[in-house]
Amino acid sequence: MPRRTPQVASLVVIHLLGAAAVFAQSPAFIRDDIAATHTPRAIAVADVSGDGWPDLILGGTNPPTIQVLLSHGTEDGDDPHHFFALAPIPVGGGPFDLAVGDLNRDGRPDVAVANADANAITVLMGIGRGGFAAPDRHPIRRQPAWCRHWRLQPRRHP
């Protein structure tokens, strides 16, 4: 059976593209309400569980936590809930933004959190299947309002 992208991930992409999104036919969306973090401020999409389906990572300020919503895919006959929430991970200081990438090059996605209220960047190293190691807080001078991940390639000399 062919694999399909979960509908929520498609909704996120359409929201980011705005009016520029053009479809040959009308897309069908399924609403999936999930109790997750309170007062969400940041969202990221990445396959943190390693199952090939995009998962959601939410950052919220009340309480200051991130929460991973694992996708179990969308196959015919599934129940209407395509995501399930893992326990919130306290990061302190009010997460304003999230960045996901393989920061330590172990092949697992890691999460960096901009905690503006705590003047810190919190890093959570992925341990597989949607889990993360204990948060590692790095203080900085000013309130970080955003963070990004870039993979920088070393310069190769001939």
Side-chain angles (χ1 to χ4, degrees):
M1 176 175 282
R3 235 164 110 181
R4 299 179 300 181
T5 303
Q7 302 297 344
V8 173
S10 297
L11 180 63
V12 171
V13 171
I14 291 167
H15 177 68
L16 293 176
L17 294 176
V22 178
F23 293 93
Q25 63 184 18
S26 297
F29 297 102
I30 300 170
R31 183 176 173 154
D32 194 2
D33 294 326
I34 302 166
T37 188
H38 297 284
T39 323
R41 291 196 89 151
I43 184 170
V45 179
D47 180 16
V48 296
S49 61
D51 63 358
W53 295 98
D55 305 309
L56 300 175
I57 303 106
L58 305 173
T61 58
N62 185 17
T65 60
I66 67 162
Q67 188 161 26
V68 177
L69 302 176
L70 295 179
S71 171
H72 66 75
T74 55
E75 297 295 330
D76 293 333
D78 280 350
D79 64 33
H81 300 289
H82 302 294
F83 290 93
F84 61 94
L86 297 178
I89 302 168
V91 292
F96 275 52
D97 197 15
L98 304 170
V100 180
D102 187 3
L103 302 175
N104 59 357
R105 297 187 181 201
D106 64 353
R108 299 180 192 127
D110 308 308
V111 176
V113 182
N115 290 317
D117 294 340
N119 293 335
I121 297 288
T122 302
V123 177
L124 297 109
M125 296 296 179
I127 57 174
R129 297 190 176 179
F132 293 94
D136 187 15
R137 180 182 268 178
H138 300 275
I140 60 174
R141 289 184 180 208
R142 296 194 176 209
Q143 299 174 321
W146 61 274
C147 58
R148 299 290 180 265
H149 172 260
W150 290 279
R151 183 173 178 199
L152 302 176
Q153 297 293 332
R155 177 178 265 175
R156 297 177 191 250
H157 298 286

